[in-house]
Amino acid sequence: MTRKLALLGSTLCLVVSAGSACADDMPVRKAGLWEMKMVRTGTSMPEMTMQHCTDETVDKEMSNNVSPMAKQICSRQDIRKTATGYVSDSECSVAGINTTSHAEITGDFNSAYTVKTSSHAQGGAAGAAGRDTTMQLEAKWLGACKPDQKPGDIVMPGGFKMNVRDMDKLKALLPK
């Protein structure tokens, strides 16, 4: 159960950061249904594909909801525009695990975008040795959301569905 909660937490953070890191710094994604495929190396977590129904309001809300949380757990979070997209560098600490991350974000946010992240985590259970991971998120716009979906809905592998507007409920599930 703890592994599932950790997976949920890391996935949610990834979706939010990839979708709208900072509303003032990055463009809002095109409204509709986005398929997001996440591949990690350096960890036992399997490849994961999820779908996210979004609109401009949801992307801005996600940024506004995550920004205060990020300010609490991150001592550094820089996002800057580059010639090919955006670069993000951060230093965060959650549950005794200190993580330094570098992400390169490219794409047009209308049809597709890619987030390539490398990170180094230190600490945690009994001062675990440092772990290096890389992750690539490939997002593509599929079209309009399905009739049974509303903006904010994320469908995870196995059909588990949540809505990012329920962020306060989800925060309670994350490890402290």
Side-chain angles (χ1 to χ4, degrees):
M1 182 68 170
T2 303
R3 182 180 163 112
K4 285 185 180 181
L5 291 176
L7 177 63
L8 174 65
S10 65
T11 301
L12 182 62
C13 289
L14 176 67
V15 168
V16 170
S17 64
S20 61
C22 286
D24 295 336
D25 295 329
M26 292 182 54
V28 173
R29 294 176 294 170
K30 182 176 183 174
L33 187 61
W34 285 85
E35 178 181 87
M36 297 185 296
K37 178 180 173 184
M38 182 171 51
V39 179
R40 292 177 174 239
T41 57
T43 179
S44 61
M45 294 176 83
E47 180 178 296
M48 180 185 329
T49 301
M50 63 196 107
Q51 292 186 343
H52 185 202
C53 174
T54 192
D55 64 12
E56 182 177 349
T57 303
V58 166
D59 268 12
K60 287 181 180 180
E61 284 176 10
M62 287 186 340
S63 178
N64 291 338
N65 287 337
V66 170
S67 186
M69 184 173 34
K71 287 177 183 172
Q72 289 176 356
I73 64 172
C74 299
S75 60
R76 177 174 161 231
Q77 191 174 32
D78 300 325
I79 298 172
R80 64 188 181 283
K81 183 149 180 46
T82 67
T84 57
Y86 298 86
V87 171
S88 171
D89 291 293
S90 63
E91 295 174 10
C92 305
S93 180
V94 177
I97 300 173
N98 299 314
T99 304
T100 303
S101 299
H102 174 80
E104 297 178 7
I105 306 158
T106 57
D108 65 8
F109 296 89
N110 286 312
S111 61
Y113 63 92
T114 300
V115 181
K116 294 179 182 178
T117 305
S118 59
S119 62
H120 177 78
Q122 187 77 32
R131 297 167 303 284
D132 292 316
T133 59
T134 60
M135 185 279 306
Q136 181 163 312
L137 178 125
E138 297 171 0
K140 65 180 178 181
W141 188 77
L142 299 178
C145 295
K146 295 177 182 173
D148 64 335
Q149 293 176 322
K150 62 182 185 265
D153 283 350
I154 297 176
V155 179
M156 305 285 286
F160 175 73
K161 185 174 165 180
M162 64 181 174
N163 192 291
V164 295
R165 288 183 160 148
D166 296 330
M167 185 80 73
D168 290 332
K169 294 176 191 172
L170 296 172
K171 285 181 201 173
L173 298 175
L174 299 177
K176 301 291 182 222

